[in-house]
Amino acid sequence: MASQGLPLRVATLLTGLLECLGFAGVLFGWASLVFVFKTEHYFEELCEPNAGLTGNATLTGNVTGQTDCKAQDEKFSLIFTLASFMNNFMTFPTGYIFDRFKTTVARLIAIFLYTTATLTIAFTSAESALLLFLAMPMLTVGGILFLITNLQVGNLFGKHRSTIITLYNGAFDSSSAVFLVIKLLYEQGVSLRASFLFFSVFSVWHVGRTFLLLPRGHIPYPLPPNYRYGLCSGKDSREEEQKTVESKELEGQSEFVSPKEEFPDSGQQKELHSFWSYAFSRRFAWHLMWLSMIQLWHYLFIGTLNSLLTTLAKGDRALVSIYTNAFAITQFFGVLCAPWNGLLMDQLKQRYQKKASKTGFSASAVALCSTVPSLALTSLLCLGFALCASVPVLPLQYVTFILQVISRSFLYGGNAAFLTLAFPPEHFGKIFGLVMALSAIVSLLQFPIFTFIKGPLQNDPFYVSIVGLRPPRTSGSG
């Protein structure tokens, strides 16, 4: 560490932050991209003229009548449902790839998927719009792999680990503002093709960062003496790999809560340290339910935002554009919101550790207790966001946007930080992937819920929000 020192670690941190901010979670700016797609007449053939309907306005600009574009909205909603499902579901196999084949292989797969997706979107037109069903899932899987491989950077900064993890998750949320930039450039005459070709060329930067600023394996926690990584470290030696494994085992003994509490009859040490013993624990089940319920409403809101704004604005495209821009701008501030959650957890952890030294509580129990206030605060924020989103008043949506970005940045940052504290690091990739994959299955409900809202509920999501977002038991409990 003395030869490479702080500058290399800071470079790794900042370039990782830029990568997450500019590329990892762009899918969640979907509303801005849908606006561009509609202007480019994607799936416009699904709209049906209906002069008496107060739904979506026609997109051509030279027709004064109203059109029923429910089928078009459903098509875009289905694309987002599929892409957001793959964003979560594929984290389990990609997490396994990261654990098994380590950083370099995982990132090369991410770069391939991301580049293929951006090139596909660049050369897609209204006639070949169905290719979006292939491109958007590939874009999201590549993005989530960027995030997973960057989360380990927090291990380089010791006691600030949770803050770095939540900062990266906040950058992931803020990257949804990238599609706003594409929308604004499009309105200034820059084509959709040019924007996504620029994304494709940036893959060279991803490759350079993979080999110059990241290890071939994993970044251990705590860091062993004289830990080296990146280009200057040369080939990973077996001795360094062994140190990494030993440090992970040490972390696993001191930092997470053993499932002995939840499997009191199990006496075999091998079983206690197996991946599936954690996957079937009550803690994992409660956390999965908590994440799935809150995430479902976020996905439903983002995937149907364009349709919601069009309905509330009574088809006024200029007004829809203003609110779409406002939503995307608020997303950028996720990178500023998320670290506060990490700071809260780090401060509570340090405070509880001081008390634990006097009361005799274990370090693992202290680490887990520090997550409870964060999880409870996230639940309350998400409840407030859902209630505001359900009230059909257009100006109120500004408040909805603010609560949404804060709650979402807290949700994913807190999720990642909780998993690093509650489960052993040697299983982090698989645990993180499994919880996201299982929550993805729940997220598939967003499309039938969208259809239900557009049909029987006549565009009124209020009762869906009341039923679906009652705060569940926080997953910090046992």
Side-chain angles (χ1 to χ4, degrees):
M1 189 168 3
S3 61
Q4 292 181 307
L6 187 62
L8 178 66
R9 286 181 285 160
V10 171
T12 301
L13 170 67
L14 295 180
T15 55
L17 184 64
L18 178 61
E19 188 170 77
C20 291
L21 186 62
F23 302 92
V26 294
L27 170 70
F28 300 100
W30 179 244
S32 297
L33 198 60
V34 167
F35 188 91
V36 177
F37 286 150
K38 286 188 173 182
T39 306
E40 287 286 309
H41 313 298
Y42 283 48
F43 304 117
E44 191 179 52
E45 68 278 1
L46 299 176
C47 294
E48 300 176 357
N50 188 336
L53 189 69
T54 59
N56 294 343
T58 54
L59 302 171
T60 57
N62 57 0
V63 180
T64 58
Q66 302 290 325
T67 58
D68 179 6
C69 290
K70 175 183 175 181
Q72 182 192 38
D73 289 334
E74 288 181 348
K75 187 71 71 174
F76 284 121
S77 178
L78 187 58
I79 292 173
F80 180 80
T81 299
L82 178 62
S84 58
F85 168 78
M86 294 297 290
N87 176 74
N88 285 1
F89 186 78
M90 289 301 294
T91 50
F92 184 55
T94 54
Y96 175 80
I97 291 172
F98 175 59
D99 283 348
R100 177 66 177 84
F101 300 102
K102 303 181 181 178
T103 302
T104 299
V105 173
R107 287 184 58 83
L108 291 177
I109 293 173
I111 294 167
F112 171 77
L113 291 173
Y114 207 93
T115 306
T116 303
T118 53
L119 288 173
T120 301
I121 298 172
F123 292 99
T124 298
S125 64
E127 291 73 26
S128 57
L130 288 175
L131 286 175
L132 294 177
F133 281 96
L134 173 65
M136 296 310 298
M138 293 179 69
L139 190 72
T140 58
V141 174
I144 197 66
L145 258 175
F146 283 147
L147 176 64
I148 290 175
T149 56
N150 277 308
L151 289 178
Q152 61 181 328
V153 174
N155 294 345
L156 295 172
F157 295 89
K159 63 180 181 180
H160 302 295
R161 185 185 185 198
S162 294
T163 303
I164 300 299
I165 290 172
T166 53
L167 179 66
Y168 273 17
N169 276 273
F172 179 87
D173 294 338
S174 294
S175 66
S176 58
V178 169
F179 281 168
L180 169 64
V181 176
I182 291 177
K183 174 181 177 290
L184 295 176
L185 290 174
Y186 178 83
E187 293 173 342
Q188 297 301 316
V190 178
S191 69
L192 196 64
R193 175 171 297 180
S195 295
F196 277 94
L197 285 177
F198 176 78
F199 267 97
S200 302
V201 171
F202 236 92
S203 295
V204 176
W205 181 76
H206 296 307
V207 173
R209 184 170 180 272
T210 298
F211 290 102
L212 299 178
L213 294 176
L214 286 170
R216 296 183 182 181
H218 297 140
I219 300 175
Y221 182 82
L223 287 177
N226 300 319
Y227 175 71
R228 298 168 60 87
Y229 69 95
L231 181 65
C232 298
S233 66
K235 294 184 179 181
D236 293 339
S237 65
R238 292 187 177 182
E239 181 180 354
E240 287 184 344
E241 289 293 327
Q242 182 61 32
K243 288 181 179 179
T244 298
V245 172
E246 291 174 356
S247 64
K248 285 184 175 182
E249 289 176 351
L250 176 62
E251 165 69 6
Q253 293 171 2
S254 61
E255 192 69 23
F256 73 94
V257 178
S258 169
K260 287 180 180 179
E261 305 171 7
E262 303 176 32
F263 298 95
D265 296 332
S266 177
Q268 298 182 2
Q269 187 73 10
K270 184 176 181 179
E271 181 181 354
L272 288 177
H273 289 279
S274 71
F275 163 71
W276 292 110
S277 66
Y278 300 106
F280 287 108
S281 66
R282 287 182 298 157
R283 181 178 302 116
F284 181 87
W286 279 116
H287 186 72
L288 174 63
M289 185 179 72
W290 175 81
L291 176 67
S292 298
M293 292 175 66
I294 297 177
Q295 179 180 259
L296 175 61
W297 179 251
H298 277 283
Y299 281 5
L300 181 64
F301 178 76
I302 296 171
T304 62
L305 180 61
N306 183 268
S307 174
L308 172 66
L309 294 179
T310 301
T311 300
L312 296 180
K314 302 187 185 303
D316 186 339
R317 293 192 70 243
L319 200 55
V320 172
S321 179
I322 291 173
Y323 275 83
T324 300
N325 291 350
F327 172 73
I329 290 171
T330 59
Q331 298 305 295
F332 179 77
F333 291 95
V335 70
L336 302 179
C337 299
W340 291 103
N341 192 20
L343 285 171
L344 172 65
M345 296 174 68
D346 283 337
Q347 291 297 319
L348 287 174
K349 183 179 175 183
Q350 293 176 22
R351 181 180 300 177
Y352 290 157
Q353 282 177 338
K354 292 179 182 179
K355 293 182 179 180
S357 61
K358 299 178 181 179
T359 59
F361 283 103
S362 66
S364 57
V366 167
L368 197 59
C369 287
S370 68
T371 67
V372 175
S374 169
L375 298 175
L377 179 59
T378 302
S379 300
L380 291 176
L381 286 169
C382 289
L383 181 61
F385 145 66
L387 293 177
C388 288
S390 303
V391 178
V393 177
L394 192 57
L396 184 62
Q397 301 315 305
Y398 287 122
V399 179
T400 303
F401 298 161
I402 295 172
L403 289 175
Q404 190 271 341
V405 70
I406 297 174
S407 62
R408 186 166 179 265
S409 61
F410 271 46
L411 174 66
Y412 290 110
N415 169 59
F418 173 80
L419 294 178
T420 61
L421 294 174
F423 300 98
E426 63 266 25
H427 296 311
F428 173 75
K430 295 185 288 294
I431 288 288
F432 183 82
L434 182 61
V435 74
M436 298 302 285
L438 294 177
S439 67
I441 297 175
V442 179
S443 74
L444 289 175
L445 292 173
Q446 64 184 291
F447 185 69
I449 291 175
F450 172 74
T451 305
F452 183 64
I453 292 173
K454 296 288 283 188
L457 294 184
Q458 299 180 346
N459 289 322
D460 183 6
F462 182 77
Y463 295 105
V464 172
S465 302
I466 294 297
V467 172
L469 271 178
R470 290 174 295 180
R473 176 182 174 182
T474 57
S475 52
S477 57

